[in-house]
Amino acid sequence: MYTNYWKCITNLFIFIMKNSPFQVCLFYSRIKRDIAVLHKKIPGGKYMRLRNIRGSKETIAASDYVVQEPETHKGTWGQLFGNEQPVQIEVGMGKGRFIMDMARLHPDRNFVGIEMYDSVLLRAVQKREQLEEDLPNLYFIRMDARNLPDVFEKGEVDKIYLNFSDPWPKERHAKRRLTSRQFLERYDKILAPEGTVEFKTDNRPLFEFSLEEVKEAGWVLDASTFDLHHDAKLMEGNVMTEYEEKFSRAGNPIHRSEERRVGKECRSRWSP
């Protein structure tokens, strides 16, 4: 047991020495997020894994809230919703609190929540089944975000929300970050001409990386703050996620940015 302990300590020390502070911070943040997402606390102080929950695939396949073949609705999402309201999506919606609150607060918009993991999407489906009110302006999709251009037509999405995304700490995995220039290119293929991306995180290195990617991709940064909850203007209409509530309660500053793919010139609003 002691041998394994010291081996772990040695490997951790080697990792810290060989990598930059940025990579170490991203690695720590990812581990913290993975623990929160993949495990659920149960009585007795034990944890159970959320991945591969028995029956999750079957429940999702039978749910009226989940679009089973989203590619068939490319260019016709208005028909599915039964109206021509703007479509807004959340990529990596987790258990769905944010997207459900948004659908409740904004019945004049259509929302699509996207999640890659069956076990996490299952929680969102179960949570929605417990709601007293109906939300006809909200659907879920189980898919990999890399396939967004296969699901939405050019100009079909009005806004994209990215909330506390996986930081993917290793430098070679930078293109997997949902705010990387590779993903901004995918968003460019589905967003409306004045479409925007709103990003929130508590991870400062990831946030700084994301701001640089916005610049490198040639997008326009409309707003940015390193401390959202102390920025009165950007807090207007803010809807919190479960992570945001947890992290802000612990005293962690929340970072937020909003960027546009194209559009008229504007002055960025910066908060120190």
Side-chain angles (χ1 to χ4, degrees), residues 88 102 109 158-162 179 184 191 194-200 207 210-211 214 219-225 228 233-238 255-261 266-270:
Q88 300 187 349
M102 289 293 289
R109 310 176 194 172
D158 179 65
K159 189 168 186 176
I160 298 174
Y161 298 96
L162 307 174
T179 52
L184 290 177
L191 278 171
E194 290 293 329
T196 59
V197 173
E198 180 182 303
F199 173 53
K200 288 195 288 187
F207 190 65
S210 303
L211 295 180
V214 169
W219 285 44
V220 177
L221 184 65
D222 280 339
S224 174
T225 178
L228 173 61
K233 193 163 188 177
L234 290 184
M235 270 297 287
E236 292 179 6
N238 182 61
H255 318 312
R256 173 182 166 180
S257 68
E258 187 163 333
E259 42 270 358
R260 287 183 292 118
R261 52 186 290 274
C266 64
R267 290 179 297 177
S268 298
R269 303 193 307 275
W270 292 85

Side-chain angles (χ1 to χ4, degrees), residues 161-271:
Y161 298 96
L162 307 174
N163 293 312
F164 300 88
S165 308
D166 190 335
W168 287 101
K170 294 182 179 179
E171 190 171 339
R172 68 175 183 272
H173 292 157
K175 64 182 180 181
R176 299 184 185 181
R177 299 167 192 161
L178 294 181
T179 52
S180 68
R181 66 193 72 180
Q182 288 82 4
F183 268 98
L184 290 177
E185 184 178 349
R186 294 182 178 102
Y187 305 150
D188 182 67
K189 295 178 181 179
I190 66 175
L191 278 171
E194 290 293 329
T196 59
V197 173
E198 180 182 303
F199 173 53
K200 288 195 288 187
T201 182
D202 70 319
N203 186 307
R204 182 159 183 144
L206 175 62
F207 190 65
E208 292 173 342
F209 163 85
S210 303
L211 295 180
E212 287 298 318
E213 291 296 279
V214 169
K215 184 189 306 182
E216 291 296 326
W219 285 44
V220 177
L221 184 65
D222 280 339
S224 174
T225 178
F226 284 91
D227 195 353
L228 173 61
H229 289 200
H230 288 89
D231 189 315
K233 193 163 188 177
L234 290 184
M235 270 297 287
E236 292 179 6
N238 182 61
V239 174
M240 289 206 294
T241 72
E242 290 176 314
Y243 281 117
E244 182 176 354
E245 188 174 78
K246 174 183 177 181
F247 294 150
S248 61
R249 189 165 53 236
N252 296 356
I254 305 301
H255 318 312
R256 173 182 166 180
S257 68
E258 187 163 333
E259 42 270 358
R260 287 183 292 118
R261 52 186 290 274
V262 293
K264 298 178 181 179
E265 293 184 2
C266 64
R267 290 179 297 177
S268 298
R269 303 193 307 275
W270 292 85
S271 295

